Amino acid sequence: MSTTNTPRAARPSGFPAGFAVFAECLLTGVWIAVAALPLVTLPAALAAGAAHLRRVLADEAGGVREFVADLRTAAARHGWLVGAAGWAAVALVWADLAVVRAGGLPGGAFAGAVGVLALLGLVVAGVRAAAVWRPGASWRALMGAAVRRTVRDPAGSLALVCGLAVIAASAWLSPPLAVPAVGVLVGAALAVERRLA
């Protein structure tokens, strides 16, 4: 499996180049969705997608083989554990909202809102961590740094929340549209992180 940094053929500039990157984001979204079917592999799939898009932006050769290699590496280094913890957090907030709707908590609406905002922040931090993942990186260190960037960079975090809203709206209008939109979210996360750097 080749992972050399061989340059691609020269890409056109201007609108065609931007459209080519957008099309690559859509394709990457499909790869991420397929790789995330076991659910606990979602962070590893996002990290592999971000690595693929970085190669595209650097005009390096890379395709599905490199994506799969990155996916295996990211999942093996506790990426699946991050995915399991994320789904556990979703279940916890879901249970919290069920109690709030049942009226079983005084001040339940506030507690529910705080839970939803905390979960949204955690999702944004997870996407940011995946965007900067490199082979050999520790997910614990990535998540810690991503949580700090999520708080310290509200504009970038809001951009990613808007990306999540686009995925939700796409899923509501036509569920298949949400699949390629995931790649656009990863592309947005790369842009947010690059802006910070």
Side-chain angles (χ1 to χ4, degrees):
M1 186 176 308
S2 170
T3 56
T4 58
N5 294 342
T6 312
R8 291 182 173 195
R11 239 189 348 206
S13 61
F15 177 77
F19 190 76
V21 170
F22 177 69
E24 198 69 40
C25 285
L26 298 178
L27 174 64
T28 303
V30 174
W31 292 353
I32 291 169
V34 170
L37 283 176
L39 297 183
V40 295
T41 57
L42 179 59
L46 291 171
H52 172 71
L53 290 177
R54 273 195 304 273
R55 281 191 292 271
V56 168
L57 292 171
D59 286 328
E60 296 172 1
V64 74
R65 285 184 181 187
E66 288 78 9
F67 175 85
V68 170
D70 287 335
L71 176 67
R72 286 181 181 152
T73 303
R77 296 205 36 100
H78 300 108
W80 65 272
L81 193 57
V82 174
W87 288 111
V90 168
L92 187 64
V93 170
W94 188 270
D96 182 44
L97 292 177
V99 171
V100 166
R101 274 189 242 120
L105 281 178
F110 177 74
V114 168
V116 169
L117 288 176
L119 180 63
L120 194 56
L122 186 63
V123 170
V124 168
V127 172
R128 293 183 87 138
V132 297
W133 174 87
R134 299 282 197 279
S138 159
W139 277 102
R140 174 179 278 180
L142 288 173
M143 284 300 296
V147 167
R148 288 189 292 278
R149 289 193 309 277
T150 299
V151 172
R152 292 177 184 162
D153 178 29
S157 298
L158 182 60
L160 295 180
V161 168
C162 291
L164 291 168
V166 167
I167 292 173
S170 300
W172 181 68
L173 292 171
S174 176
L177 288 178
V179 171
V182 173
V184 176
L185 174 66
V186 172
L190 286 174
V192 164
E193 295 299 328
R194 184 174 284 189
R195 179 182 60 85
L196 270 184

